[in-house]
Amino acid sequence: MWLPIFGLLVGITLGLLTDIKISAEYANYLSIAILAALDTLVGGIRAHLQNIYDEKVFVSGFFFNIILAASLAFLGVHLGVDLYLAAVFAFGVRLFQNIAVIRRVMLTKWSLFKEKTEKN
Amino acid sequence: MKWKWNRYLVAKKIHRTKESLVTLLKKRNKIAFTLIAVIIGFMVAIQYKTIKEPSIKQVRDTRDSYELRSGILKEQKVQTELVQEISNLEEKLAQYDTTRSQSKEQILSETLEELKSEAGMTEVSGKGIILTIKPIEENILLGENIPNASPELLKRLLNELYLYDAKEISINGQRIITTSVIRDINGQTKIDGKSVSRGSIEVRVLAKDAKKLKERIQVSPTIDNFYVDNYEVTISNPLDKVTLPSYQNSLNIQYMEPIDE
């Protein structure tokens, strides 16, 4: 539970400490990639809570989603269609759904835990 | 009993291996999760930085016209300062040059020359006109007595000429200077002690604008006054070169004395 959060903090500090900057043209792609990564992460957490977690699916989904989102944005820029909006929409909807599922699972777990403690 | 115990042990072993397997799997899961969390954190941080601190190129692009103007102003100030410095240095150089070339003696002699020419001690030439004052011939034929050209009239003429921007004047080869006197001595008109001939009198005048001088003197009443005295004044056209002789007498300074320093 705490290790991934620690990893997140490590990643943020690393990013802030290093002097890497991305030019404005590629900031769009990075934002889409971040959205895809967040979606994958939340999806992974949900799968973990539902006990259907598969590492292969998770890791492959992470990279595949990022690449797909970035390439979709790229294609959109070159076709003059705001295709990145599709990615934003899809990932956004999924993000919310996943978070909702996580909330429900947590709620049921919590109520079960409460019942157990009451029985004891 | 023993058999049961064995079964229990086997079951326990199996359970343990299962547990260790699960923990192992969980650990591996956690590692992958952590790695991906690190990547996500890194990306987020970079994106945050990119948005918060735009690149240098963008900074240049976002400068508005006022900022650009102030920048130009700054550069212009620097430029003016540099130009001023250059001119100052050049001035100094010129000063050194002049001080080297113009020693005190040279300056003194130059000033002396200037003063001499101003006082009328040198021959001068330039643009000007020549006035010729002659007795009217018809009257001579009629046997009228020709009087001297009266000094009053001559003085009047000179004053008028000076009034009309005449610079230098000579009468019959006699330079008129500031101390020149024209007067009647025993019925003879004399300039600086030398008599003016009864015949024609030649007045040479230097002026910057000779044409204007001629036009002005042509309509002056002094010419008519000469006519009353039986003298006729003819005025030449403006000449490009009129030469005036230098003042021949020695300057007699009576009241001026050099200051002892």
Side-chain angles (χ1 to χ4, degrees):
Chain A
M1 176 80 193
W2 295 108
L3 205 61
I5 291 168
F6 178 71
L8 198 70
L9 289 176
V10 165
I12 286 169
T13 41
L14 262 176
L16 287 176
L17 285 175
T18 49
D19 218 18
I20 297 170
K21 266 178 208 165
I22 287 173
S23 58
E25 298 96 70
Y26 302 120
N28 278 335
Y29 300 121
L30 188 64
S31 60
I32 288 288
I34 284 170
L35 198 64
L38 276 177
D39 171 62
T40 317
L41 191 71
V42 173
I45 290 166
R46 189 210 61 181
H48 200 71
L49 287 173
Q50 289 178 331
N51 289 324
I52 49 167
Y53 176 77
D54 189 344
E55 194 186 284
K56 278 175 198 162
V57 171
F58 178 68
V59 175
S60 66
F62 177 76
F63 290 107
F64 191 77
N65 276 353
I66 285 175
I67 290 163
L68 186 72
S71 49
L72 208 65
F74 177 79
L75 195 71
V77 166
H78 281 261
L79 289 180
V81 184
D82 290 337
L83 274 181
Y84 75 93
L85 281 176
V88 167
F89 180 72
F91 290 131
V93 167
R94 262 178 53 181
L95 205 66
F96 276 103
Q97 277 180 350
N98 284 337
I99 287 168
V101 170
I102 288 168
R103 196 189 70 235
R104 275 174 211 187
V105 170
M106 295 285 248
L107 269 174
T108 44
K109 272 192 176 176
W110 183 66
S111 53
L112 276 174
F113 177 74
K114 217 179 172 185
E115 270 176 29
K116 261 188 186 175
T117 45
E118 271 174 11
K119 267 181 187 172
N120 291 341
Chain B
M1 191 66 186
K2 205 183 178 186
W3 173 77
K4 261 190 179 174
W5 179 244
N6 272 346
R7 239 184 79 176
Y8 172 73
L9 276 179
V10 168
K12 206 176 180 183
K13 216 176 184 181
I14 287 168
H15 183 72
R16 266 192 188 159
T17 35
K18 250 191 182 173
E19 247 184 7
S20 61
L21 249 172
V22 166
T23 45
L24 195 78
L25 270 171
K26 268 191 176 172
K27 254 189 188 170
R28 274 195 67 189
N29 289 346
K30 270 191 179 172
I31 285 163
F33 243 100
T34 311
L35 275 176
I36 278 167
V38 167
I39 291 170
I40 288 171
F42 194 71
M43 281 160 75
V44 169
I46 285 175
Q47 175 80 347
Y48 176 75
K49 261 169 70 175
T50 309
I51 284 169
K52 207 175 186 188
E53 301 168 31
S55 59
I56 298 159
K57 202 179 162 189
Q58 266 187 323
V59 170
R60 276 192 194 139
D61 286 343
T62 52
R63 284 205 299 179
D64 66 5
S65 62
Y66 283 102
E67 279 168 317
L68 286 171
R69 237 175 258 178
S70 67
I72 288 171
L73 212 69
K74 217 173 166 186
E75 294 304 317
Q76 274 177 341
K77 267 185 189 170
V78 171
Q79 200 192 8
T80 15
E81 272 169 27
L82 287 173
V83 167
Q84 265 183 354
E85 212 170 305
I86 289 169
S87 67
N88 275 344
L89 288 172
E90 275 179 351
E91 217 172 278
K92 250 183 204 173
L93 196 70
Q95 268 183 358
Y96 287 140
D97 270 351
T98 46
T99 44
R100 204 181 52 181
S101 66
Q102 285 188 330
S103 60
K104 263 188 183 175
E105 289 169 42
Q106 210 169 350
I107 289 169
L108 268 178
S109 65
E110 263 175 32
T111 315
L112 192 65
E113 281 300 309
E114 226 171 83
L115 288 173
K116 265 186 178 175
S117 74
E118 215 171 295
M121 306 296 284
T122 55
E123 199 182 86
V124 286
S125 55
K127 280 185 189 173
I129 53 171
I130 297 171
L131 300 159
T132 321
I133 304 166
K134 268 187 193 168
I136 299 168
E137 279 178 23
E138 286 84 354
N139 288 12
I140 295 168
L141 285 174
L142 284 171
E144 277 193 32
N145 195 22
I146 306 296
N148 275 322
S150 76
E152 279 76 31
L153 264 178
L154 278 176
K155 277 186 212 167
R156 218 171 212 268
L157 181 71
L158 292 190
N159 281 340
E160 210 153 348
L161 286 170
Y162 280 127
L163 189 71
Y164 299 149
D165 290 335
K167 272 187 161 180
E168 308 287 343
I169 296 170
S170 74
I171 297 174
N172 274 355
Q174 281 211 67
R175 185 76 170 272
I176 306 295
I177 60 166
T178 37
T179 53
S180 290
V181 283
I182 302 169
R183 59 186 172 182
D184 191 306
I185 300 173
N186 282 337
Q188 289 249 327
T189 302
K190 297 200 173 187
I191 299 171
D192 289 332
K194 284 180 182 170
S195 37
V196 177
S197 72
R198 270 172 189 261
S200 71
I201 301 165
E202 194 190 51
V203 182
R204 291 176 175 232
V205 187
L206 285 192
K208 245 186 188 174
D209 197 344
K211 200 183 163 192
K212 212 173 186 178
L213 180 70
K214 190 205 163 183
E215 280 163 4
R216 278 172 155 182
I217 205 75
Q218 232 168 1
V219 294
S220 83
T222 318
I223 309 295
D224 298 336
N225 287 337
F226 270 107
Y227 203 79
V228 171
D229 272 13
N230 292 324
Y231 276 97
E232 193 183 27
V233 181
T234 48
I235 305 160
S236 75
N237 282 323
L239 300 165
D240 273 341
K241 196 178 177 187
V242 177
T243 310
L244 272 65
S246 62
Y247 186 70
Q248 274 127 16
N249 301 359
S250 62
L251 277 173
N252 191 14
I253 299 164
Q254 284 182 320
Y255 306 111
M256 278 200 286
E257 274 178 18
I259 301 166
D260 287 326
E261 279 185 32

mmCIF file of all heavy atoms in Angstrom, chain B residues 73-97:
data_model
loop_
_atom_site.group_PDB
_atom_site.id
_atom_site.type_symbol
_atom_site.label_atom_id
_atom_site.label_comp_id
_atom_site.label_asym_id
_atom_site.label_seq_id
_atom_site.Cartn_x
_atom_site.Cartn_y
_atom_site.Cartn_z
ATOM 1 N N LEU B 73 15.030 51.335 -25.757
ATOM 2 C CA LEU B 73 15.441 52.583 -25.097
ATOM 3 C C LEU B 73 16.766 52.385 -24.363
ATOM 4 O O LEU B 73 17.674 53.217 -24.443
ATOM 5 C CB LEU B 73 14.350 52.992 -24.121
ATOM 6 C CG LEU B 73 14.159 54.484 -23.911
ATOM 7 C CD1 LEU B 73 13.591 55.131 -25.161
ATOM 8 C CD2 LEU B 73 13.241 54.732 -22.735
ATOM 9 N N LYS B 74 16.841 51.252 -23.682
ATOM 10 C CA LYS B 74 18.051 50.951 -22.925
ATOM 11 C C LYS B 74 19.257 50.908 -23.867
ATOM 12 O O LYS B 74 20.299 51.514 -23.608
ATOM 13 C CB LYS B 74 17.868 49.597 -22.249
ATOM 14 C CG LYS B 74 18.484 49.500 -20.875
ATOM 15 C CD LYS B 74 18.064 48.171 -20.269
ATOM 16 C CE LYS B 74 18.872 47.809 -19.076
ATOM 17 N NZ LYS B 74 18.510 46.454 -18.630
ATOM 18 N N GLU B 75 19.060 50.184 -24.978
ATOM 19 C CA GLU B 75 20.164 50.039 -25.927
ATOM 20 C C GLU B 75 20.542 51.388 -26.528
ATOM 21 O O GLU B 75 21.717 51.694 -26.740
ATOM 22 C CB GLU B 75 19.773 49.060 -27.046
ATOM 23 C CG GLU B 75 19.573 47.641 -26.563
ATOM 24 C CD GLU B 75 20.770 47.069 -25.840
ATOM 25 O OE1 GLU B 75 21.899 47.277 -26.307
ATOM 26 O OE2 GLU B 75 20.595 46.438 -24.787
ATOM 27 N N GLN B 76 19.496 52.198 -26.780
ATOM 28 C CA GLN B 76 19.770 53.518 -27.360
ATOM 29 C C GLN B 76 20.573 54.371 -26.393
ATOM 30 O O GLN B 76 21.470 55.108 -26.788
ATOM 31 C CB GLN B 76 18.466 54.215 -27.700
ATOM 32 C CG GLN B 76 17.957 53.837 -29.087
ATOM 33 C CD GLN B 76 16.633 54.479 -29.384
ATOM 34 O OE1 GLN B 76 15.936 54.915 -28.483
ATOM 35 N NE2 GLN B 76 16.282 54.546 -30.649
ATOM 36 N N LYS B 77 20.222 54.266 -25.093
ATOM 37 C CA LYS B 77 20.972 55.026 -24.091
ATOM 38 C C LYS B 77 22.437 54.638 -24.120
ATOM 39 O O LYS B 77 23.335 55.482 -24.101
ATOM 40 C CB LYS B 77 20.379 54.774 -22.711
ATOM 41 C CG LYS B 77 19.334 55.808 -22.320
ATOM 42 C CD LYS B 77 18.865 55.573 -20.907
ATOM 43 C CE LYS B 77 17.667 56.451 -20.603
ATOM 44 N NZ LYS B 77 17.047 56.062 -19.330
ATOM 45 N N VAL B 78 22.645 53.336 -24.180
ATOM 46 C CA VAL B 78 24.026 52.845 -24.222
ATOM 47 C C VAL B 78 24.741 53.404 -25.450
ATOM 48 O O VAL B 78 25.882 53.861 -25.381
ATOM 49 C CB VAL B 78 24.035 51.296 -24.238
ATOM 50 C CG1 VAL B 78 25.435 50.781 -24.497
ATOM 51 C CG2 VAL B 78 23.518 50.754 -22.924
ATOM 52 N N GLN B 79 24.003 53.403 -26.562
ATOM 53 C CA GLN B 79 24.593 53.893 -27.814
ATOM 54 C C GLN B 79 24.970 55.362 -27.696
ATOM 55 O O GLN B 79 26.063 55.776 -28.077
ATOM 56 C CB GLN B 79 23.594 53.693 -28.942
ATOM 57 C CG GLN B 79 24.256 53.703 -30.295
ATOM 58 C CD GLN B 79 23.255 53.803 -31.411
ATOM 59 O OE1 GLN B 79 22.073 54.013 -31.186
ATOM 60 N NE2 GLN B 79 23.717 53.682 -32.621
ATOM 61 N N THR B 80 24.035 56.175 -27.138
ATOM 62 C CA THR B 80 24.320 57.601 -27.009
ATOM 63 C C THR B 80 25.538 57.824 -26.121
ATOM 64 O O THR B 80 26.371 58.685 -26.403
ATOM 65 C CB THR B 80 23.126 58.363 -26.411
ATOM 66 O OG1 THR B 80 22.221 57.451 -25.849
ATOM 67 C CG2 THR B 80 22.461 59.231 -27.423
ATOM 68 N N GLU B 81 25.601 57.038 -25.051
ATOM 69 C CA GLU B 81 26.748 57.187 -24.169
ATOM 70 C C GLU B 81 28.040 56.908 -24.908
ATOM 71 O O GLU B 81 29.024 57.651 -24.792
ATOM 72 C CB GLU B 81 26.609 56.227 -22.986
ATOM 73 C CG GLU B 81 25.832 56.842 -21.828
ATOM 74 C CD GLU B 81 25.468 55.815 -20.780
ATOM 75 O OE1 GLU B 81 26.191 54.805 -20.654
ATOM 76 O OE2 GLU B 81 24.453 56.023 -20.099
ATOM 77 N N LEU B 82 28.002 55.863 -25.715
ATOM 78 C CA LEU B 82 29.212 55.503 -26.463
ATOM 79 C C LEU B 82 29.575 56.602 -27.460
ATOM 80 O O LEU B 82 30.743 56.983 -27.588
ATOM 81 C CB LEU B 82 28.988 54.175 -27.198
ATOM 82 C CG LEU B 82 28.965 52.937 -26.292
ATOM 83 C CD1 LEU B 82 28.566 51.721 -27.092
ATOM 84 C CD2 LEU B 82 30.302 52.720 -25.637
ATOM 85 N N VAL B 83 28.551 57.133 -28.141
ATOM 86 C CA VAL B 83 28.800 58.186 -29.127
ATOM 87 C C VAL B 83 29.379 59.422 -28.443
ATOM 88 O O VAL B 83 30.317 60.051 -28.942
ATOM 89 C CB VAL B 83 27.487 58.516 -29.875
ATOM 90 C CG1 VAL B 83 27.643 59.797 -30.668
ATOM 91 C CG2 VAL B 83 27.114 57.386 -30.797
ATOM 92 N N GLN B 84 28.814 59.736 -27.266
ATOM 93 C CA GLN B 84 29.320 60.884 -26.521
ATOM 94 C C GLN B 84 30.786 60.695 -26.155
ATOM 95 O O GLN B 84 31.592 61.624 -26.287
ATOM 96 C CB GLN B 84 28.511 61.058 -25.251
ATOM 97 C CG GLN B 84 27.362 62.061 -25.422
ATOM 98 C CD GLN B 84 26.612 62.265 -24.133
ATOM 99 O OE1 GLN B 84 26.889 61.574 -23.144
ATOM 100 N NE2 GLN B 84 25.686 63.185 -24.132
ATOM 101 N N GLU B 85 31.082 59.507 -25.724
ATOM 102 C CA GLU B 85 32.459 59.224 -25.353
ATOM 103 C C GLU B 85 33.391 59.425 -26.545
ATOM 104 O O GLU B 85 34.446 60.060 -26.437
ATOM 105 C CB GLU B 85 32.545 57.783 -24.854
ATOM 106 C CG GLU B 85 33.593 57.581 -23.789
ATOM 107 C CD GLU B 85 33.466 56.206 -23.158
ATOM 108 O OE1 GLU B 85 32.376 55.876 -22.670
ATOM 109 O OE2 GLU B 85 34.454 55.491 -23.185
ATOM 110 N N ILE B 86 32.940 58.913 -27.689
ATOM 111 C CA ILE B 86 33.749 59.044 -28.903
ATOM 112 C C ILE B 86 33.971 60.507 -29.238
ATOM 113 O O ILE B 86 35.098 60.943 -29.505
ATOM 114 C CB ILE B 86 33.053 58.326 -30.084
ATOM 115 C CG1 ILE B 86 33.130 56.816 -29.895
ATOM 116 C CG2 ILE B 86 33.699 58.713 -31.409
ATOM 117 C CD1 ILE B 86 32.252 56.050 -30.849
ATOM 118 N N SER B 87 32.893 61.294 -29.175
ATOM 119 C CA SER B 87 33.023 62.711 -29.541
ATOM 120 C C SER B 87 33.932 63.432 -28.549
ATOM 121 O O SER B 87 34.738 64.298 -28.918
ATOM 122 C CB SER B 87 31.650 63.374 -29.613
ATOM 123 O OG SER B 87 31.076 63.430 -28.344
ATOM 124 N N ASN B 88 33.803 63.067 -27.260
ATOM 125 C CA ASN B 88 34.667 63.691 -26.261
ATOM 126 C C ASN B 88 36.135 63.435 -26.573
ATOM 127 O O ASN B 88 36.973 64.345 -26.534
ATOM 128 C CB ASN B 88 34.355 63.119 -24.875
ATOM 129 C CG ASN B 88 33.199 63.843 -24.218
ATOM 130 O OD1 ASN B 88 32.831 64.935 -24.667
ATOM 131 N ND2 ASN B 88 32.623 63.258 -23.202
ATOM 132 N N LEU B 89 36.420 62.191 -26.896
ATOM 133 C CA LEU B 89 37.808 61.820 -27.169
ATOM 134 C C LEU B 89 38.325 62.544 -28.417
ATOM 135 O O LEU B 89 39.461 63.033 -28.439
ATOM 136 C CB LEU B 89 37.921 60.307 -27.351
ATOM 137 C CG LEU B 89 37.749 59.504 -26.053
ATOM 138 C CD1 LEU B 89 37.682 58.025 -26.348
ATOM 139 C CD2 LEU B 89 38.880 59.787 -25.085
ATOM 140 N N GLU B 90 37.442 62.640 -29.415
ATOM 141 C CA GLU B 90 37.854 63.326 -30.641
ATOM 142 C C GLU B 90 38.120 64.800 -30.382
ATOM 143 O O GLU B 90 39.064 65.382 -30.910
ATOM 144 C CB GLU B 90 36.775 63.155 -31.707
ATOM 145 C CG GLU B 90 36.945 61.855 -32.475
ATOM 146 C CD GLU B 90 35.879 61.643 -33.515
ATOM 147 O OE1 GLU B 90 34.904 62.420 -33.527
ATOM 148 O OE2 GLU B 90 36.015 60.695 -34.297
ATOM 149 N N GLU B 91 37.279 65.391 -29.530
ATOM 150 C CA GLU B 91 37.465 66.799 -29.175
ATOM 151 C C GLU B 91 38.822 67.012 -28.508
ATOM 152 O O GLU B 91 39.551 67.948 -28.820
ATOM 153 C CB GLU B 91 36.349 67.209 -28.216
ATOM 154 C CG GLU B 91 35.851 68.625 -28.420
ATOM 155 C CD GLU B 91 34.628 68.880 -27.569
ATOM 156 O OE1 GLU B 91 33.519 68.501 -27.985
ATOM 157 O OE2 GLU B 91 34.806 69.441 -26.475
ATOM 158 N N LYS B 92 39.111 66.106 -27.591
ATOM 159 C CA LYS B 92 40.387 66.206 -26.892
ATOM 160 C C LYS B 92 41.545 66.136 -27.877
ATOM 161 O O LYS B 92 42.508 66.906 -27.794
ATOM 162 C CB LYS B 92 40.497 65.061 -25.880
ATOM 163 C CG LYS B 92 40.408 65.550 -24.440
ATOM 164 C CD LYS B 92 40.597 64.396 -23.498
ATOM 165 C CE LYS B 92 39.940 64.711 -22.168
ATOM 166 N NZ LYS B 92 39.959 63.549 -21.283
ATOM 167 N N LEU B 93 41.416 65.198 -28.805
ATOM 168 C CA LEU B 93 42.462 65.026 -29.813
ATOM 169 C C LEU B 93 42.654 66.319 -30.605
ATOM 170 O O LEU B 93 43.782 66.778 -30.817
ATOM 171 C CB LEU B 93 42.068 63.887 -30.741
ATOM 172 C CG LEU B 93 43.161 63.302 -31.625
ATOM 173 C CD1 LEU B 93 44.155 62.523 -30.787
ATOM 174 C CD2 LEU B 93 42.551 62.412 -32.687
ATOM 175 N N ALA B 94 41.507 66.908 -31.001
ATOM 176 C CA ALA B 94 41.565 68.148 -31.769
ATOM 177 C C ALA B 94 42.208 69.253 -30.941
ATOM 178 O O ALA B 94 43.009 70.055 -31.449
ATOM 179 C CB ALA B 94 40.156 68.558 -32.190
ATOM 180 N N GLN B 95 41.880 69.283 -29.658
ATOM 181 C CA GLN B 95 42.464 70.303 -28.790
ATOM 182 C C GLN B 95 43.972 70.168 -28.725
ATOM 183 O O GLN B 95 44.706 71.156 -28.841
ATOM 184 C CB GLN B 95 41.890 70.165 -27.387
ATOM 185 C CG GLN B 95 40.658 71.029 -27.166
ATOM 186 C CD GLN B 95 40.162 70.925 -25.742
ATOM 187 O OE1 GLN B 95 40.727 70.163 -24.947
ATOM 188 N NE2 GLN B 95 39.129 71.673 -25.432
ATOM 189 N N TYR B 96 44.409 68.942 -28.550
ATOM 190 C CA TYR B 96 45.856 68.722 -28.491
ATOM 191 C C TYR B 96 46.512 69.181 -29.788
ATOM 192 O O TYR B 96 47.564 69.813 -29.771
ATOM 193 C CB TYR B 96 46.152 67.245 -28.249
ATOM 194 C CG TYR B 96 45.862 66.780 -26.849
ATOM 195 C CD1 TYR B 96 45.282 65.556 -26.602
ATOM 196 C CD2 TYR B 96 46.175 67.596 -25.753
ATOM 197 C CE1 TYR B 96 45.004 65.133 -25.317
ATOM 198 C CE2 TYR B 96 45.910 67.194 -24.472
ATOM 199 C CZ TYR B 96 45.316 65.965 -24.254
ATOM 200 O OH TYR B 96 45.044 65.554 -22.990
ATOM 201 N N ASP B 97 45.861 68.864 -30.895
ATOM 202 C CA ASP B 97 46.396 69.260 -32.203
ATOM 203 C C ASP B 97 46.520 70.765 -32.301
ATOM 204 O O ASP B 97 47.553 71.294 -32.715
ATOM 205 C CB ASP B 97 45.471 68.747 -33.320
ATOM 206 C CG ASP B 97 45.880 67.357 -33.776
ATOM 207 O OD1 ASP B 97 46.960 66.908 -33.333
ATOM 208 O OD2 ASP B 97 45.144 66.752 -34.559
#
